[in-house]
């Protein structure tokens, strides 16, 4: 099993920045050092879950959804089993619950992810 815990969400104004963190733990992570690819997704009220970003297990390859390209940056520190999402130039439409997820596949599809965190709320006021 893998446990994912997000943090760093909050209420900010348009144009501000936030950095989300996702700490991974669990038997698989600590014992077998399985190389999980990580992703960030978000879901706003009344909307479908949306792919935000993904990062290959080694950290050298990343990808972003069109709505966040150029504003968000994903990174990871495998020594700390933590993945980050730096969000700059936030807009009201970025308001959502943000989830991190782990997968053995490098995918932008939520269905490919095996483990999910509980989510952290990001609210951007205009």
């Amino acid at each position: 099993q893998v446990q994912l815990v997000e943090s760093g969400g909050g209420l900010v104004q348009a144009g501000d920045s936030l950095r989300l963190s996702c700490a991974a733990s669990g038997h698989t992570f600590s014992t077998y050092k399985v190389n999980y690819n990580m992703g960030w997704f978000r879901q706003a009220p009344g909307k479908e879950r949306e792919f935000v970003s993904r990062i290959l297990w080694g950290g050298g390859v990343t990808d972003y959804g069109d709505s966040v390209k150029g504003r968000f940056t994903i990174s990871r520190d495998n020594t700390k089993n933590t993945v980050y999402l730096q969000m700059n130039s936030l807009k009201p439409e970025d308001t959502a619950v943000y989830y991190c997820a782990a997968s053995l596949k490098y995918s932008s599809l939520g269905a490919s992810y095996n483990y999910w965190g509980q989510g952290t709320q990001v609210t951007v006021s205009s």
Side-chain angles (χ1 to χ4, degrees):
Q1 283 290 339
V2 173
Q3 290 81 44
L4 302 173
V5 179
E6 302 97 334
S7 62
L11 172 63
V12 297
Q13 293 186 332
D16 286 350
S17 298
L18 275 177
R19 189 177 81 156
L20 305 183
S21 299
C22 174
S25 63
H27 183 65
T28 303
F29 257 90
S30 61
T31 302
Y32 297 106
K33 302 297 183 183
V34 176
N35 297 321
Y36 284 99
N37 304 300
M38 301 297 292
W40 285 98
F41 294 80
R42 67 186 183 186
Q43 189 165 22
K47 295 187 177 180
E48 293 187 353
R49 183 174 58 197
E50 177 187 12
F51 165 72
V52 175
S53 184
R54 56 178 168 160
I55 186 166
L56 198 65
W57 68 268
V61 180
T62 60
D63 185 32
Y64 300 90
D66 288 341
S67 60
V68 306
K69 279 182 181 176
R71 299 188 298 122
F72 290 12
T73 303
I74 191 171
S75 61
R76 66 190 295 165
D77 184 342
N78 287 341
T79 65
K80 297 180 179 179
N81 289 337
T82 300
V83 62
Y84 305 97
L85 185 68
Q86 178 66 43
M87 306 186 296
N88 298 330
S89 303
L90 284 163
K91 305 175 181 179
E93 50 264 44
D94 294 319
T95 295
V97 177
Y98 283 71
Y99 299 91
C100 71
S103 173
L104 295 176
K105 299 179 181 179
Y106 180 63
S107 174
S108 62
L109 300 177
S112 298
Y113 287 77
N114 309 96
Y115 301 101
W116 292 81
Q118 82 289 347
T120 185
Q121 176 71 46
V122 172
T123 303
V124 184
S125 64
S126 58

